[in-house]
Amino acid sequence: MTQRQMQMRLGLGAIIAAAFLILYAIPQWISSPSNVRNIVLSPLFWPYALAGFTGLAGLGLVASGARLRGPDTLVNEPVQDTGAAWMRLAGMAVIMVATMFLLPRLGMVLTSMLVFVATAFLVRTRHPITALVCAVIIPLVLYAFFAHVAGVAIPQGEILRLP
Amino acid sequence: MSFLDSLAAGLSLVGNIEAFLALFVGVAIGVVGGAIPGMSATMAVALTLPFTFAMQPITGILLLLGVYKGGIFGGSIPAILIKTPGTPASSATILDGYPMAEKGQAGKALGMALWASCTADVISNLALILFAGWLASFALSFGPPEFFTLILFSLTIIAGVSGESLLRGALSALLGLLLATIGLDLVYGTNRFTFGDPNMMGGLNFIAVLIGLFAIPEIIAMVWHPTAHVGKARSLGKNWVTFAEYRRCFKSIVRGSFIGVFLGSIPGIGAAPSAFLSYSEARRTSKNKENFGKGEIEGVAASEAGNNGVAGATLIPLLALGVPGDVITAIIIGAFMVHGLQPGPMMFILNVDIIYGLFIGLIVSSVFLFLIGSVAIRGFKYVADIPKRILIPAVLVLCIYGVFAVNNNIFDVGVMFVMGWVGYLMVRYHIPAAPFLIAFILGPLLEDNFRQAMLMSGSDPTILFRGPITWFFWSLTVLTIVAIARAGVRAVKASRFLPEDPTR
């Protein structure tokens, strides 16, 4: 992605987001009492104003992107295998969704152990044994601190119940 | 309450082993966190925040301040030894620090970095003690219109100077303000973007948003590109900094410290620009200007004084006005809020013991920084050896525990993950995260003060121009926008004179 592409995409994204907010999201998802006499004091005023400014910022980004010249150098460092990189990103998203699903069921300690192992192998660790040892120790140490020192009710889950 | 009474109250609050231990541990965590490339002082402070929930307010805040100060210095160690700044504020230190390391003078460069950091830290802390109270007493006369214009000015400058482009900074701040509208309306109590979910009615949890924004994108970036390269650490060499060298650089250190204090007290500018400005001023006035960039010890001293001079000064707007000066102080304001404290002028009346306790702690932190820094310089190779691909999953697990601990709520973990992806997109699209977070914190204050002003005046907007203070902040806001827009237009014009890329 070049500087110009980035600026244009951002600008268009901001304009679309502003249009979505003004035309759909704010009327649909913000409720305002019918007896508010002055629009300035209404709960709708601030979101409308911010959405309007977002649209203006988007227009500004498109305009400045269109005026950009000069060498089209890439703005981000490229990776060697883009396909594999996208797969890893998808894997990370799956880990996060799975975390949300498993936290109330397996408890925080077991889920964290699984998350640790999955993430370490996703980033292709060169120390698998160390990763496994850390995956067990770190969640247990954190559990000990938060549950017994900070007094936080860490979810225990159905399989493993720690003291 | 007289000065001596306030001092005694502060001393009684921090005069215990826990407070000093927290400060010591904080500085140590900060130095290690700052010294690990890819971790940064910001991330170290964000990850330490959940551990402060169980502590007394003053102890927790001192722990975070220790991490902040340690982190800013810690970043200079890898900058000098492996040419990788541990934190963005240390980027200027590379210019002369690494060439010195290449010449076998790494120990000398690190020693000077430590001396300059500690000197600047002391000057910065003294500036905080002298000016914060004065500014707070001035701010006591502020009403809603004055606070509205002050926050608007702060947001303008933060959005303008935090990134490469004013428009991208403004977009970031606007997104932060929009996110802050989620929850129940401040005046009428109606739903705004809550989708009927009770978890959303109190708004999004601040700590989930900040950890999501500053720690998770690092993890996602590591997943995208796992083979992050870390250079080989150089040996310290036999040379150590001498008193004569410190004396030779003293003028640059003091000048850099004052630059840091000045830039740090303006919300939004932060440590990295201060370090570069201090460096360029030292080069401009030095007798050895031709040596700068080739391993000049004065360059290391100036850049380290510049970035550490900011550390105390950023607390001036935080404590006196309740406006965070940079991302780290935005995180520290979270610690205040978790403990039911609201930084700002009223804090100097209601919680003067905490204010003076912090001042005492900050003075002691400079001594701890010197002691821990001396040890850390020699122990860096052990820190550099921590495999990053083990560290990153550990950070993820720490984030999950930390965010859950805020409200005992799994929903917050989900918010953190979503914000992590938002933060990663912001990194990819070069949208600065600082205006987003600071706008998210200041958004409710901005809206609240605006609506209070409107209620006071019967919706007459002229109340926003009611006196010299409001006019002063409006003028500063306009000047800032004009200055930053002019700089942007110049940059675009300059790019038009560059030759067209034939591949396009």
Side-chain angles (χ1 to χ4, degrees):
Chain A
M1 183 171 50
T2 63
Q3 180 80 13
R4 189 174 182 202
Q5 283 172 333
M6 184 177 75
Q7 200 91 335
M8 297 294 274
R9 282 182 201 176
L10 269 179
L12 288 173
I15 292 168
I16 293 167
F20 173 73
L21 281 166
I22 292 168
L23 299 175
Y24 184 77
I26 296 174
Q28 196 71 22
W29 293 320
I30 295 185
S31 47
S32 176
S34 53
N35 61 348
V36 182
R37 288 184 193 159
N38 201 317
I39 178 69
V40 175
L41 294 173
S42 162
L44 295 164
F45 176 74
W46 203 245
Y48 270 125
L50 294 175
F53 283 123
T54 305
L56 285 177
L59 284 173
L61 282 164
V62 169
S64 70
R67 287 165 65 92
L68 269 179
R69 292 285 183 275
D72 251 355
T73 47
L74 294 174
V75 285
N76 291 318
E77 198 185 322
V79 285
Q80 280 175 341
D81 187 350
T82 316
W86 280 110
M87 288 300 288
R88 284 194 300 274
L89 276 194
M92 193 69 228
V94 170
I95 289 173
M96 288 180 179
V97 173
T99 306
M100 295 305 294
F101 178 77
L102 293 175
L103 269 176
R105 291 165 181 82
L106 291 183
M108 193 166 272
V109 178
L110 266 186
T111 307
S112 302
M113 289 176 180
L114 294 174
V115 165
F116 196 113
V117 172
T119 313
F121 285 95
L122 189 71
V123 294
R124 301 190 307 223
T125 179
R126 284 183 295 177
H127 307 88
I129 305 294
T130 316
L132 285 173
V133 172
C134 290
V136 174
I137 292 172
I138 290 173
L140 284 175
V141 170
L142 287 172
Y143 169 79
F145 175 82
F146 281 105
H148 295 291
V149 180
V152 177
I154 297 289
Q156 288 272 18
E158 290 146 17
I159 301 171
L160 180 71
R161 296 199 74 81
L162 291 165
Chain B
M1 209 184 236
S2 72
F3 171 74
L4 282 178
D5 291 337
S6 306
L7 198 67
L11 201 58
S12 68
L13 205 61
V14 292
N16 55 65
I17 190 75
E18 290 97 55
F20 287 108
L21 193 66
L23 195 60
F24 188 86
V25 171
V27 175
I29 293 171
V31 172
V32 173
I36 300 173
M39 196 145 167
S40 84
T42 310
M43 199 162 149
V45 177
L47 292 177
T48 311
L49 179 59
F51 291 96
T52 65
F53 300 158
M55 297 175 182
Q56 290 294 317
I58 186 80
T59 315
I61 294 163
L62 284 176
L63 178 75
L64 293 179
L65 289 175
V67 178
Y68 178 21
K69 286 178 176 280
I72 298 288
F73 164 71
S76 68
I77 304 176
I80 291 168
L81 292 179
I82 58 176
K83 208 185 178 181
T84 306
T87 201
S90 311
S91 308
T93 310
I94 291 179
L95 299 173
D96 279 293
Y98 188 69
M100 281 184 76
E102 278 187 316
K103 288 193 275 184
Q105 296 179 326
K108 198 185 272 283
L110 285 165
M112 180 51 81
L114 183 61
W115 277 101
S117 297
C118 293
T119 311
D121 199 41
V122 170
I123 292 174
S124 192
N125 291 337
L126 289 176
L128 167 71
I129 294 166
L130 288 172
F131 294 121
W134 172 77
L135 192 60
S137 62
F138 172 65
L140 276 173
S141 57
F142 282 24
E146 286 78 15
F147 267 115
F148 171 77
T149 50
L150 163 70
I151 296 169
L152 191 69
F153 162 64
S154 305
L155 282 177
T156 311
I157 194 161
I158 289 163
V161 299
S162 295
E164 307 150 21
S165 141
L166 169 68
L167 280 168
R168 269 180 266 161
L171 184 66
S172 177
L174 284 165
L175 292 176
L177 288 172
L178 272 167
L179 201 74
T181 61
I182 294 174
L184 297 182
D185 178 66
L186 299 166
V187 176
Y188 292 100
T190 56
N191 289 311
R192 296 205 294 193
F193 302 118
T194 58
F195 310 106
D197 186 341
N199 286 307
M200 305 273 276
M201 286 182 178
L204 296 182
N205 183 273
F206 160 72
I207 290 157
V209 172
L210 90 87
I211 293 185
L213 215 54
F214 288 97
I216 303 292
E218 290 292 334
I219 297 166
I220 300 174
M222 178 82 181
V223 169
W224 174 257
H225 198 304
T227 47
H229 298 293
V230 176
K232 195 176 172 351
R234 297 199 171 259
S235 64
L236 295 181
K238 284 179 185 165
N239 293 323
W240 198 249
V241 69
T242 61
F243 184 70
E245 282 163 332
Y246 176 72
R247 205 172 51 186
R248 178 165 76 82
C249 300
F250 188 69
K251 219 169 150 182
S252 291
I253 293 172
V254 173
R255 194 193 302 110
S257 307
F258 281 113
I259 289 172
V261 167
F262 180 70
L263 295 187
S265 58
I266 302 170
I269 296 184
S274 167
F276 278 105
L277 184 61
S278 168
Y279 179 84
S280 63
E281 272 301 297
R283 185 172 57 183
R284 194 177 63 81
T285 53
S286 173
K287 289 174 194 161
N288 309 317
K289 62 178 77 167
E290 67 282 356
N291 288 345
F292 274 70
K294 297 174 192 163
E296 170 61 46
I297 196 163
E298 206 179 335
V300 176
S303 49
E304 278 303 300
N307 65 32
N308 277 275
V310 168
T314 45
L315 297 172
I316 297 174
L318 176 81
L319 293 178
L321 305 170
V323 175
D326 62 2
V327 178
I328 302 184
T329 43
I331 300 170
I332 292 171
I333 210 175
F336 278 97
M337 292 191 306
V338 164
H339 290 290
L341 300 166
Q342 181 63 51
M346 286 308 286
M347 205 176 160
F348 280 75
I349 295 170
L350 299 174
N351 307 101
V352 74
D353 51 345
I354 290 184
I355 296 280
Y356 275 82
L358 287 178
F359 289 167
I360 296 165
L362 285 168
I363 294 291
V364 178
S365 73
S366 304
V367 181
F368 286 166
L369 180 62
F370 186 77
L371 296 174
I372 295 166
S374 311
V375 178
I377 288 168
R378 289 175 176 84
F380 174 71
K381 60 179 178 173
Y382 303 107
V383 175
D385 284 344
I386 299 171
K388 215 178 160 198
R389 284 180 267 182
I390 298 287
L391 190 73
I392 285 295
V395 167
L396 179 60
V397 170
L398 191 55
C399 291
I400 295 172
Y401 272 87
V403 167
F404 177 82
V406 186
N407 286 329
N408 292 8
N409 192 349
I410 292 175
F411 177 80
D412 289 343
V413 179
V415 171
M416 173 187 75
F417 285 150
V418 172
M419 288 313 299
W421 288 98
V422 172
Y424 181 66
L425 275 177
M426 288 171 72
V427 171
R428 297 284 296 176
Y429 280 88
H430 294 227
I431 303 174
F436 185 99
L437 184 71
I438 295 174
F440 180 71
I441 295 167
L442 294 180
L445 280 177
L446 187 72
E447 186 183 1
D448 204 17
N449 280 299
F450 174 77
R451 287 167 87 175
Q452 277 184 33
M454 290 299 120
L455 282 168
M456 279 164 65
S457 68
S459 304
D460 180 5
T462 54
I463 196 171
L464 300 176
F465 300 89
R466 73 171 177 179
I469 300 172
T470 54
W471 278 105
F472 175 69
F473 286 124
W474 279 118
S475 316
L476 286 180
T477 307
V478 172
L479 277 175
T480 308
I481 293 172
V482 170
I484 297 166
R486 273 183 66 182
V489 169
R490 272 189 205 149
V492 171
K493 273 186 183 165
S495 78
R496 303 193 94 176
F497 289 105
L498 291 168
E500 283 274 356
D501 187 349
T503 56
R504 265 172 62 194

